[in-house]
Amino acid sequence: MEELIAAWRDELPDVLGPTMELTKRVLVLAGELNEATRRELPRFGLTPAEFDVLAALRRSGAPYRLKANELSRSLLLSTGGTSNIVNRLVGRGLVCREPDPGDGRSTLVALTDSGMKVAEAAVRANSAAHADVFADLPPEVTRAATDVLREVFAIIDRSRTTERRHRGQVGQRPSADKI
């Protein structure tokens, strides 16, 4: 990482300001975390997209179901893309589709008992894999980084909300706390 930052500093010093350095570091860290997740998923027979669907349903709370369009929005996927993933999970018995009792035009996607077990096991394995990425960090560094990033996301979310309000688009994107 330090070599990458130094190379940019040498080649385009006017570009490598604090935001570019933060961006590079966050992207590299995200890559490490994504790779840790990808290493865990094969033992559950899941793709990253399937894992995301199961995790979204599990974190939604009892009764562990969401409207199909809510699921798509929470995952930042198209409805068609979400539908394809849900079809695969239905075929494996991990989720099911149910009519929405409150809206006859909507469908709910729900975890099955089997899906709940797989979701929880995969989330636990993913959490442990992410903890391994941070294993050498002192707890106070982890807390400080978490606090600073929470503040960064809060400021960005406020800015986006203000910007969307000015454009009349409030509520279009999930906020960082939904991730």
Side-chain angles (χ1 to χ4, degrees):
M1 171 53 62
E2 298 312 315
E3 290 174 13
L4 173 73
I5 299 298
W8 278 114
R9 190 171 286 121
D10 290 344
E11 295 300 318
L12 289 172
D14 58 312
V15 172
L16 186 70
T19 57
M20 176 67 114
E21 184 172 349
L22 176 61
T23 300
K24 295 295 181 202
R25 291 180 186 282
V26 167
L27 289 173
V28 169
L29 178 57
E32 291 288 329
L33 294 169
N34 284 334
E35 184 55 36
T37 296
R38 288 180 187 280
R39 282 192 303 269
E40 294 300 316
L41 296 182
R43 70 180 158 131
F44 301 101
L46 297 173
T47 66
E50 291 167 340
F51 171 73
D52 288 345
V53 168
L54 295 178
L57 291 169
R58 178 60 183 90
R59 90 173 154 257
S60 71
Y64 309 109
R65 64 185 186 192
L66 292 169
K67 288 183 178 184
N69 63 347
E70 292 171 339
L71 184 58
S72 294
R73 253 194 324 272
S74 75
L75 299 173
L76 301 177
L77 291 174
S78 70
T79 54
T82 302
S83 183
N84 289 335
I85 297 162
V86 168
N87 287 341
R88 289 195 309 262
L89 294 170
V90 167
R92 293 177 49 205
L94 299 176
V95 302
C96 63
R97 287 190 172 90
E98 304 171 348
D100 183 348
D103 181 356
R105 299 166 297 163
S106 292
T107 302
L108 297 170
V109 178
L111 281 176
T112 61
D113 289 341
S114 178
M116 176 73 79
K117 289 176 186 159
V118 171
E120 288 182 3
V123 167
R124 289 184 200 302
N126 186 55
S127 180
H130 287 181
D132 287 346
V133 171
F134 295 108
D136 293 335
L137 267 68
E140 62 274 8
V141 171
T142 303
R143 276 192 298 278
T146 300
D147 291 344
V148 168
L149 286 172
R150 186 180 299 114
E151 184 176 348
V152 167
F153 280 108
I155 292 167
I156 289 171
D157 285 346
R158 278 195 303 272
S159 295
R160 285 185 178 158
T161 299
T162 301
E163 181 182 315
R164 286 192 305 273
R165 222 179 252 131
H166 289 296
R167 289 185 286 162
Q169 299 173 338
V170 174
Q172 298 273 321
R173 292 185 214 163
S175 64
D177 66 343
K178 302 281 188 205
I179 298 174

